[in-house]
Amino acid sequence: MMKSKYEWIRKAQRCLRMLSELHRLGFQHLRGMPYFNAQGFRFAIAPRHYFSGNGIAIPAAKLSDEFVAITGAGHYFNWTDTDGNDARALAEKFITRFPDIALAGKGRDWEYAGWLSELIGFLEQGDMIPTVWWEEMNGRPEDLLALPVWVEGKDNIDWIGERSIISQTNPHFPLPGKPESSGSEWWGRQPYWTDALHEMSQAMQDGGRLVTIDVKKISDQLFIENGPAYKLLSAMNSVSEHEGYEGFKGAPRLVLALLWKLQEISEQRNREDE
């Protein structure tokens, strides 16, 4: 196991390992929701029926319920006796101090417990922590199609106007119980589109607002096999296949990315003609 050089990352990852220890103790119906608020990292633990259909998010209206326990990455649950505690010790204290929540989480769910164990192993390879909500988030946690991962020391946010998303260049972990599709690859894992969105976001932050395209310079590229038009067709199919919730939010992002790619082609052709 690699240890992060950042104390807050180590403590945040310990929250997930505490939940995994609760699973080992027989409380596999408990699930966790990592997120950021104005005070920093938070981790909510609750019985699985509190979670939305994607398995990783508790709707905001339920976060204040008495069966939802929330901690930061400092003194866990505001307890004063956790210095030096490992994940197992925290899990044992959780059972004693939240007996009703623990009882509601008693039972077997090997699929989720295994998913969490795999997630923890992935996170421990770097300075990473997952998050399902952050300030100015675009959309709802309940609509996430993959689990975004925050990487300390990286520019993690892309802006869409006044709203934000975790950068598409960041890792995104599959949802629990959602094996990767054997059909078309989701566009959000394709650098062709994600790099374009990231570059457009950076340009907008620097004051850019215009996309300039010379239609004559790009027209032949639109008809070639594996050109931008046919890449867009495949990407839109992946939106339909992988984003089966109201809104299909990948579609407008792909339109923006396409405009950026067409501008790149136009600029390249202009340079070649000079």
Side-chain angles (χ1 to χ4, degrees), residues 104-173:
K106 189 76 172 174
R108 291 176 176 169
D109 186 344
W110 297 114
E111 183 175 57
Y112 181 82
W115 172 85
L116 179 64
S117 181
E118 182 184 356
L119 171 63
I120 291 169
F122 171 75
L123 298 172
E124 289 175 344
Q125 298 175 45
D127 303 316
M128 300 184 289
I129 201 71
T131 180
V132 305
W133 189 85
W134 52 94
E135 292 190 294
E136 310 302 336
M137 176 182 178
N138 184 53
R140 305 182 308 161
E142 301 96 294
D143 294 332
L144 289 171
L145 296 173
L147 178 59
V149 177
W150 182 277
V151 182
E152 184 64 9
K154 182 183 183 298
D155 184 8
N156 289 277
I157 297 294
D158 285 339
W159 290 91
I160 304 174
E162 296 181 351
R163 311 301 292 176
S164 67
I165 62 171
I166 297 297
S167 174
Q168 295 290 354
T169 63
N170 277 40
H172 286 69
F173 200 78

Side-chain angles (χ1 to χ4, degrees), residues 191-208:
Y192 183 88
W193 301 111
T194 57
D195 288 353
L197 281 176
H198 182 70
E199 291 167 9
M200 174 177 274
S201 175
Q202 291 294 113
M204 291 177 66
Q205 290 182 55
D206 294 338

Side-chain angles (χ1 to χ4, degrees), residues 33 35 37 41-45 58 62-65 68-72 76-78 94 98 101:
M33 183 180 99
Y35 64 100
N37 64 14
F41 176 79
R42 293 292 181 268
F43 190 64
I45 297 177
I58 302 172
K62 295 182 178 181
L63 273 177
S64 59
D65 193 273
V68 180
I70 301 176
T71 184
Y76 300 101
F77 303 105
N78 292 320
F94 185 97
F98 295 110
I101 298 177

Side-chain angles (χ1 to χ4, degrees), residues 24-266:
R24 292 180 64 189
L25 291 167
F27 300 90
Q28 294 180 3
H29 288 183
L30 293 177
R31 295 192 173 193
M33 183 180 99
Y35 64 100
F36 290 104
N37 64 14
Q39 286 72 49
F41 176 79
R42 293 292 181 268
F43 190 64
I45 297 177
R48 63 183 182 182
H49 64 266
Y50 276 81
F51 284 74
S52 61
N54 64 6
I56 59 172
I58 302 172
K62 295 182 178 181
L63 273 177
S64 59
D65 193 273
E66 62 180 345
F67 278 82
V68 180
I70 301 176
T71 184
H75 288 295
Y76 300 101
F77 303 105
N78 292 320
W79 298 335
T80 59
D81 60 347
T82 61
D83 288 346
N85 283 183
D86 60 12
R88 180 66 173 224
L90 292 172
E92 291 171 347
K93 287 179 177 177
F94 185 97
I95 295 167
T96 301
R97 298 173 186 184
F98 295 110
D100 292 338
I101 298 177
L103 182 61
K106 189 76 172 174
R108 291 176 176 169
D109 186 344
W110 297 114
E111 183 175 57
Y112 181 82
W115 172 85
L116 179 64
S117 181
E118 182 184 356
L119 171 63
I120 291 169
F122 171 75
L123 298 172
E124 289 175 344
Q125 298 175 45
D127 303 316
M128 300 184 289
I129 201 71
T131 180
V132 305
W133 189 85
W134 52 94
E135 292 190 294
E136 310 302 336
M137 176 182 178
N138 184 53
R140 305 182 308 161
E142 301 96 294
D143 294 332
L144 289 171
L145 296 173
L147 178 59
V149 177
W150 182 277
V151 182
E152 184 64 9
K154 182 183 183 298
D155 184 8
N156 289 277
I157 297 294
D158 285 339
W159 290 91
I160 304 174
E162 296 181 351
R163 311 301 292 176
S164 67
I165 62 171
I166 297 297
S167 174
Q168 295 290 354
T169 63
N170 277 40
H172 286 69
F173 200 78
L175 297 180
K178 301 287 184 182
E180 294 190 38
S181 173
S182 59
S184 60
E185 182 184 27
W186 180 48
W187 71 270
R189 296 197 180 99
Q190 300 174 30
Y192 183 88
W193 301 111
T194 57
D195 288 353
L197 281 176
H198 182 70
E199 291 167 9
M200 174 177 274
S201 175
Q202 291 294 113
M204 291 177 66
Q205 290 182 55
D206 294 338
R209 291 293 184 273
L210 297 178
V211 172
T212 304
I213 300 170
D214 186 328
V215 177
K216 287 188 66 176
K217 296 289 177 65
I218 68 167
S219 58
D220 62 326
Q221 291 290 309
L222 296 179
F223 293 92
I224 66 172
E225 184 179 356
N226 206 34
Y230 293 101
K231 284 182 181 293
L232 179 65
L233 177 62
S234 176
M236 285 295 186
N237 284 337
S238 84
V239 170
S240 178
E241 180 179 343
H242 295 274
E243 300 182 18
Y245 59 89
E246 184 179 2
F248 295 99
K249 294 182 175 67
R253 294 174 186 168
L254 282 168
V255 172
L256 291 173
L258 176 67
L259 291 173
W260 192 260
K261 297 302 291 188
L262 294 178
Q263 177 179 254
E264 286 183 344
I265 295 171
S266 179

